[in-house]
Amino acid sequence: MASGDKSSSSEQRWVEQALGAFVRWAPLGGSGGAFVHFLWQQEWGMSIVMFPVTAVTGIWAAYIESFLARLRERFSERGSKDADALVDGLDRLDQVFRWQLSGFDGKYLKRMKAACLY
């Protein structure tokens, strides 16, 4: 079972990395591909127009990488806190149900009645 957890974890990391790379580099691939196409066809005007777009998408790739990494850090922290809060709430709820279902009040009152009787 432990080896299955490790493989699913490594598969999940691989998928996350692949999607992250796609999100980062897809815009650059599109604009870079158009830029190269216009250069190849010697359409200098369109090549000049596409150059700033290609540069901006390259900047976007660097920006989104650090943005997603920081977002992952923050939500990882928040997820841990939320999980702790959920477990604490479930523990309190469990205590309330145990108290209600244990019949403590009835047992207590019977004992008090017996103590006061004598």
Side-chain angles (χ1 to χ4, degrees), residues 42-82:
Q42 295 182 353
E43 295 181 26
W44 306 116
M46 287 303 293
S47 296
I48 291 171
V49 169
M50 285 306 298
F51 180 75
V53 174
T54 303
V56 167
T57 55
I59 293 168
W60 167 259
Y63 170 82
I64 197 68
E65 181 177 7
S66 61
F67 178 83
L68 291 175
R70 182 68 178 141
L71 199 60
R72 181 176 294 133
E73 286 176 24
R74 295 291 303 264
F75 277 103
S76 176
E77 293 169 11
R78 182 174 284 178
S80 296
K81 289 177 185 176
D82 289 346

Side-chain angles (χ1 to χ4, degrees), residues 4-63:
D5 293 340
K6 288 181 183 179
S7 66
S8 66
S9 176
S10 64
E11 289 171 357
Q12 183 179 6
R13 265 187 271 126
W14 183 83
V15 169
E16 286 176 1
Q17 290 173 346
L19 286 174
F22 179 76
V23 167
R24 282 192 314 267
W25 297 108
L28 184 60
S31 63
F35 176 69
V36 169
H37 170 76
F38 291 132
L39 279 178
W40 186 263
Q41 297 297 319
Q42 295 182 353
E43 295 181 26
W44 306 116
M46 287 303 293
S47 296
I48 291 171
V49 169
M50 285 306 298
F51 180 75
V53 174
T54 303
V56 167
T57 55
I59 293 168
W60 167 259
Y63 170 82

